[in-house]
Amino acid sequence: MTSEIVIIGGGVIGLAIAIELKLRGTNVTVLCRDFQAAATHAAAGMLAPDAENITNEAMLSLCWRSRALYPDWTRKLEELTGLNTGYRPCGILAPVFAEAGGQGAGGRGEVSPSASNFSPAYWLNKEAIHQYQPGLGAEVVGGWWYPEDAQVDNKALAHVLRTAAESIGVELKDGITVEGFLQQQGQVVGVQTNAGIIRAAHYVLASGAWSNELLPLPVVPRKGQMLSVRIPEFAPDLPLKRVLFGQNIYIVPRCDRLVIGATSEDVGFTPNNTPDGIQKLLQAAIRLYPQLKHYPIQEFWWGFRPATPDELPILGTTHCQNLTFATGHYRNGILLTPVTASLIADLILEQKPDPLLADFHYSRFQSQPSTSTPMLTHSANFSNGHHTAISPLPIQDSPLIIAGKTFQSRLMTGTGKYRSIEEMQQSVIASDCQIVTVAVRRVQTKAPGHEGLAEALDWTKIWMLPNTAGCQTAEEAIRVARLGREMAKLLGQEDNNFVKLEVIPDLKYLLPDPIGTLQAAEQLVKEGFAVLPYINADPMLAKRLEEVGCATVMPLASPIGSGQGLKTTANIQIIIENAGIPVVVDAGIGSPSEAAQAMELGADVLLINSAIALSPNPAAMARAMNLATVAGRLAYLAGRMPIKDYASPSSPLTGTITS
């Protein structure tokens, strides 16, 4: 099927964007795996940028803007559906206990009315707060009153959004699991799902805590447990009139019940409520509002918030021209729904990026290059064994981009075959490489030279490329690739979905299996991997691998570890001429002159391991390979002089002295 815009994710963010786009005249399809699993259903519905004490200025501005949209936005939804969202501009009360330090604790304090963005906060002393809200715990010594904060019934809002989307003609497809993006030359050309390939002109990733399963985004699930208690019949109408925002606890009054939340647990997608989680919530809630200990428990539930390292959302453009991100909203998904819908619709339909979006772009998580020197201005002279700086060269090169990630160095190295960990460390540093490939199986089995690999390199500066070396079938390679992704996460590279795919059943010549490689690549791409397949220099296979969505192709120059140099030049040239993705010349390079020659052909990257590791002086050879890579790339960009069949003097003949 084909749609104008496909939105991946059917929570409130995805539905709100769909409604906004549809009302502006586009055809929209929403793909939803499980509507009930969305973080929406596990929220409390607080619209509380002030009570949350948000310190990031851009985030606070975004939250204030969204809160201001809520009255008109919910009114429009209610008019479309005839249903109530439960929006209430009730204000939020943030009580403070004695140990928090009294006035000034737990809130921003009053904001000067002369400020351009002004949201007031009022301090209430002990007498005032207990009078304002009877029934608070005796330990409460004061608190902050945030009159502009509000609440909405999150479950009612989700129902209203879904009903509104259906009523205006948004196509909602339930039970659809997106398995991967099909990408070609900086464009998404479809999404692979359990129901087949779905295509669109534009795509929006709004799948919350599950976003990392599709693309290497640092979005992780943060589990939150919650419960509700029923207000008994003997209690007055609604004894708690206001939202209470305490220390690590909040209590939200809703008609005949109180909603209590929420834990924040870094336990992956571990489901279910736990006694420990519920006990902590009840203890904190009873301390804040003691009389609820007599109220009957009504319900327990849990959900997964999409958290990022800085707890800010990921919004805006991506590495693909027709893919937009709207994910990672963490604790503020409900609050930020209307502004997200508006900003994303403006961005897609009018190409009008709001200046505020720059603060939430995914690129803020990309690691910086390991060297401060651009690839084409590296030192090329030596003096007493040290590098000597040279002036920048007059040719500028574009950075290397693999699966949306930018690198400056065009040399990759490996970790195998070294005589010691120390030689490997020295060689990696000398090579100035930013990508190092690691054999997952050798790390697992603690093969010689791989025992201390995790600690041997600085993985904050080096991007790990797990490889499936030793795998003889597609099935083995897929399994090992999954282990490699987990290994990268353990090293702190949460968003690393790269894999160097090797399927090699031939133990004598170590030639890759083209059929098994293609089969494994297709599956791994569906699972969201950035696949870098090692192949024979076969132009047809290279093109087929590009079509299934691989991030690069890696043709061999000659058999692995042979040092024979470039034996497949003609085929590599054909692959380079026809490729829309980076071409990595891998295997067989034995000397720097051969490395330079491969780069002069137009290769984007080299992967060199044996020639460095087996040299009598690996660190010096690593530096030589770096310089050869730079020289070859520069020569390719500069262009070679024409080859002639006759001599041509290098000095002009005019103006010479004659007798």
Side-chain angles (χ1 to χ4, degrees):
M1 63 154 285
T2 302
S3 178
E4 197 169 342
I5 299 177
V6 161
I7 296 174
I8 299 145
V12 291
I13 298 291
L15 289 171
I17 294 170
I19 291 168
E20 188 70 26
L21 290 169
K22 184 66 177 179
L23 290 174
R24 298 193 194 186
T26 61
N27 293 322
V28 187
T29 299
V30 175
L31 308 181
C32 183
R33 171 166 40 185
D34 181 359
F35 181 59
Q36 296 302 321
T40 309
H41 299 281
M46 289 186 300
L47 311 177
D50 296 333
E52 286 267 12
N53 193 23
I54 294 169
T55 56
N56 182 281
E57 290 185 10
M59 181 64 168
L60 185 58
S61 179
L62 187 72
C63 291
W64 275 348
R65 190 190 301 187
S66 198
R67 186 183 63 186
L69 292 174
Y70 246 93
D72 290 339
W73 182 67
T74 51
R75 189 180 307 114
K76 179 175 69 175
L77 291 173
E78 289 170 353
E79 289 171 355
L80 277 173
T81 62
L83 301 172
N84 192 339
T85 62
Y87 170 71
R88 290 172 55 199
C90 57
I92 289 180
L93 189 62
V96 173
F97 294 119
E99 68 268 19
Q103 183 168 354
R108 287 195 325 276
E110 292 210 36
V111 181
S112 169
S114 63
S116 57
N117 285 316
F118 170 56
S119 190
Y122 302 99
W123 172 254
L124 304 178
N125 63 23
K126 184 172 183 177
E127 181 181 358
I129 196 170
H130 283 274
Q131 183 177 6
Y132 189 60
Q133 177 55 65
L136 294 175
E139 297 174 80
V140 172
V141 296
W144 289 94
W145 168 238
Y146 301 105
E148 296 189 8
D149 280 351
Q151 68 159 300
V152 68
D153 187 324
N154 54 296
K155 292 186 178 180
L157 178 63
H159 178 60
V160 170
L161 283 168
R162 190 170 173 88
T163 303
E166 290 173 338
S167 70
I168 63 175
V170 173
E171 184 176 6
L172 303 176
K173 298 179 73 68
D174 290 320
I176 300 296
T177 300
V178 176
E179 299 165 345
F181 286 98
L182 305 177
Q183 301 179 47
Q184 289 183 13
Q185 299 182 339
Q187 294 274 346
V188 176
V189 296
V191 287
Q192 181 72 47
T193 77
N194 59 335
I197 295 175
I198 297 176
R199 302 186 189 276
H202 200 98
Y203 304 81
V204 179
L205 180 64
S207 53
W210 289 266
S211 299
N212 181 256
E213 295 183 355
L214 298 176
L215 288 173
L217 293 173
V219 179
V220 297
R222 195 69 57 80
K223 179 179 171 182
Q225 299 187 53
M226 300 182 68
L227 74 149
S228 64
V229 296
R230 191 174 71 252
I231 296 174
E233 296 177 1
F234 62 78
D237 299 334
L238 188 60
L240 185 62
K241 304 290 187 184
R242 299 164 185 86
V243 174
L244 298 183
F245 194 98
Q247 294 165 252
N248 303 315
I249 193 72
Y250 51 76
I251 305 172
V252 182
R254 293 267 175 78
C255 298
D256 61 345
R257 70 189 190 280
L258 301 178
V259 174
I260 300 169
T263 64
S264 181
E265 305 167 50
D266 189 8
V267 293
F269 286 106
T270 304
N272 301 315
N273 292 106
T274 63
D276 181 61
I278 296 301
Q279 182 185 38
K280 287 178 179 175
L281 290 176
L282 285 172
Q283 286 176 339
I286 291 169
R287 184 186 183 203
L288 185 62
Y289 190 65
Q291 68 190 60
L292 67 76
K293 66 184 176 184
H294 302 297
Y295 296 178
I297 291 175
Q298 185 180 52
E299 185 183 6
F300 302 121
W301 66 93
W302 75 94
F304 301 107
R305 304 184 187 100
T308 63
D310 58 11
E311 299 185 354
L312 305 182
I314 299 173
L315 305 172
T317 57
T318 74
H319 61 290
C320 291
Q321 296 176 354
N322 62 337
L323 173 64
T324 301
F325 288 153
T327 188
H329 290 77
Y330 189 38
R331 297 170 58 93
N332 292 293
I334 300 290
L335 168 61
L336 292 175
T337 296
V339 76
T340 299
S342 175
L343 292 176
I344 297 301
D346 286 346
L347 180 63
I348 294 173
L349 299 181
E350 302 176 33
Q351 284 77 54
K352 281 175 31 182
D354 190 287
L356 199 54
L357 285 176
D359 292 283
F360 305 102
H361 197 260
Y362 80 99
S363 60
R364 70 187 190 271
F365 298 117
Q366 292 183 330
S367 58
Q368 296 299 310
S370 62
T371 173
S372 59
T373 311
M375 198 273 292
L376 288 183
T377 60
H378 276 181
S379 307
N381 301 321
F382 291 91
S383 175
N384 298 324
H386 299 288
H387 304 316
T388 303
I390 60 173
S391 300
L393 296 170
I395 289 183
Q396 293 299 314
D397 192 8
S398 58
L400 170 67
I401 300 176
I402 300 176
K405 190 168 181 64
T406 302
F407 303 94
Q408 298 299 324
S409 174
R410 292 179 180 271
L411 174 63
M412 304 178 184
T413 64
T415 56
K417 300 186 179 180
Y418 287 94
R419 289 176 285 271
S420 68
I421 279 282
E422 290 73 26
E423 283 195 348
M424 184 270 290
Q425 291 173 310
Q426 294 163 4
S427 299
V428 169
I429 292 169
S431 73
D432 271 345
C433 70
Q434 291 174 266
I435 301 176
V436 171
T437 186
V438 175
V440 177
R441 278 190 160 176
R442 294 193 181 103
V443 173
Q444 279 187 305
T445 57
K446 297 184 179 179
H450 290 74
E451 303 92 332
L453 192 60
E455 298 78 24
L457 298 176
D458 184 352
W459 298 108
T460 64
K461 296 180 179 179
I462 295 171
W463 192 248
M464 188 177 77
L465 176 58
N467 71 57
T468 62
C471 295
Q472 299 183 32
T473 66
E475 292 76 15
E476 281 184 284
I478 292 167
R479 186 171 65 253
V480 171
R482 292 168 181 157
L483 294 172
R485 180 158 60 181
E486 295 308 310
M487 187 168 77
K489 289 180 179 179
L490 291 174
L491 295 178
Q493 297 182 5
E494 289 286 342
D495 58 337
N496 190 339
N497 69 338
F498 281 40
V499 62
K500 182 191 175 191
L501 176 60
E502 298 183 21
V503 182
I504 303 177
D506 168 24
L507 300 181
K508 181 176 181 181
Y509 298 105
L510 299 179
L511 297 174
D513 173 9
I515 298 172
T517 300
L518 181 59
Q519 289 173 340
E522 288 177 320
Q523 179 59 36
L524 290 170
V525 168
K526 289 178 184 178
E527 294 183 16
F529 282 89
V531 181
L532 289 72
Y534 171 63
I535 60 171
N536 291 299
D538 180 343
M540 298 306 296
L541 175 60
K543 202 63 190 172
R544 184 74 184 97
L545 287 163
E546 180 180 342
E547 289 169 355
V548 303
C550 288
T552 69
V553 287
M554 306 181 73
L556 56 81
S558 54
I560 294 175
S562 68
Q564 295 177 17
L566 282 162
K567 299 297 184 182
T568 56
T569 303
N571 279 13
I572 289 176
Q573 281 185 306
I574 295 171
I575 292 171
I576 292 169
E577 288 171 10
N578 291 280
I581 53 178
V583 176
V584 185
V585 173
D586 180 14
I589 297 293
S591 68
S593 61
E594 293 160 358
Q597 184 184 355
M599 293 303 291
E600 288 172 23
L601 294 176
D604 296 281
V605 198
L606 300 179
L607 175 50
I608 301 175
N609 186 182
S610 298
I612 297 173
L614 301 181
S615 166
N617 188 332
M621 182 58 75
R623 187 63 186 166
M625 289 296 185
N626 166 269
L627 296 171
T629 303
V630 173
R633 178 67 177 178
L634 185 58
Y636 168 73
L637 294 173
R640 193 191 192 286
M641 68 166 285
I643 299 175
K644 300 177 181 179
D645 293 330
Y646 51 87
S648 176
S650 58
S651 299
L653 297 178
T654 58
T656 56
I657 298 173
T658 57
S659 58

